[in-house]
Amino acid sequence: MTTLQGRPNTALLVVDVQNGAVEGTYQRDGVVAEVGRVVGKARRGQVPVVWVQHSDERLVRGSDDWRIVGELTPGGAEPLVEKNHADSFEDTILESVLSGLGVGRLFVVGAQTDVCVRSTLHGAFARGYDVFLSATPTRRRAGRHRRTRSSRTPTCTGASRRRRGGRRARSRPGTSNSAAPPDVPYPGAGARSDHRLAS
């Protein structure tokens, strides 16, 4: 469970689903559609959606590559955080945005699991968040993804792994919540449950 005090809420973090980031990725259209499905489910469940948009020499701010894909549109009241590093928390306003929303639990979804999604998962974990990789199949570029033995679904090395019936990020050593799927509150999390994003 989260180690952040007074922050019982859940948010969905959508990382780098931008034209240049998803171009040429494995099953691009299916991935974008699935991200849209999860975003829609979050909105229907009144779970805050926070968008992250990356800028670098390839994704130049203001360029078409930099823009969020046309199939997805951030809501007018949904925060958008710009970043320049792989970790969405590094040198950004993300922590203050999540703190203001009272968020201590994150579902993360996005493009290129082996880069910014992985770094953001690690960044959230290190900061005390209860963090899950969404069941959405975020994938590497074609030809660079690897498949796990159990699910044959591409995932990033070390950041997450697919179990039969669910997907999870690493859990803290010594806790009993390592097998909890995204739709089940962690043991000891209390009566409140904001897990409304599971498939």
Side-chain angles (χ1 to χ4, degrees), residues 57-75:
E57 65 280 357
R58 188 170 62 88
L59 300 175
V60 178
R61 192 177 189 280
S63 69
D64 187 61
D65 281 347
W66 173 80
R67 292 184 176 88
I68 291 172
V69 296
E71 298 94 322
L72 303 176
T73 304

Side-chain angles (χ1 to χ4, degrees), residues 26-192:
Y26 179 67
Q27 297 185 358
R28 182 260 183 214
D29 292 347
V31 169
V32 171
E34 187 67 7
V35 171
R37 185 192 69 81
V38 174
V39 168
K41 192 163 189 177
R43 289 169 174 166
R44 292 191 298 274
Q46 298 184 332
V47 173
V49 179
V50 179
W51 300 79
V52 177
Q53 193 169 15
H54 188 76
S55 300
D56 59 20
E57 65 280 357
R58 188 170 62 88
L59 300 175
V60 178
R61 192 177 189 280
S63 69
D64 187 61
D65 281 347
W66 173 80
R67 292 184 176 88
I68 291 172
V69 296
E71 298 94 322
L72 303 176
T73 304
E78 293 171 352
L80 192 151
V81 175
E82 294 189 24
K83 70 178 178 69
N84 301 110
H85 304 282
D87 181 355
S88 299
F89 289 90
E90 186 175 350
D91 294 331
T92 72
I93 62 170
L94 180 57
E95 173 58 30
S96 63
V97 167
L98 296 175
S99 176
L101 293 170
V103 169
R105 181 180 296 114
L106 282 176
F107 283 83
V108 181
V109 66
Q112 298 186 30
T113 320
D114 57 332
V115 188
C116 294
V117 171
R118 177 180 183 177
S119 295
T120 298
L121 285 167
H122 290 175
F125 181 83
R127 289 169 175 83
Y129 287 88
D130 194 9
V131 60
F132 296 92
L133 178 62
S134 170
T136 300
T138 53
R139 291 181 168 97
R140 301 182 180 195
R141 290 187 178 278
R144 296 178 55 202
H145 62 276
R146 77 172 177 86
R147 297 179 182 274
T148 61
R149 288 184 301 172
S150 61
S151 68
R152 305 190 66 77
T153 299
T155 124
C156 64
T157 303
S160 66
R161 70 173 183 247
R162 174 95 172 171
R163 300 184 309 108
R164 296 185 184 277
R167 186 186 299 272
R168 61 182 174 131
R170 274 191 217 163
S171 299
R172 291 176 182 79
T175 61
S176 59
N177 58 25
S178 60
D183 56 340
V184 179
Y186 277 165
R192 180 184 179 86

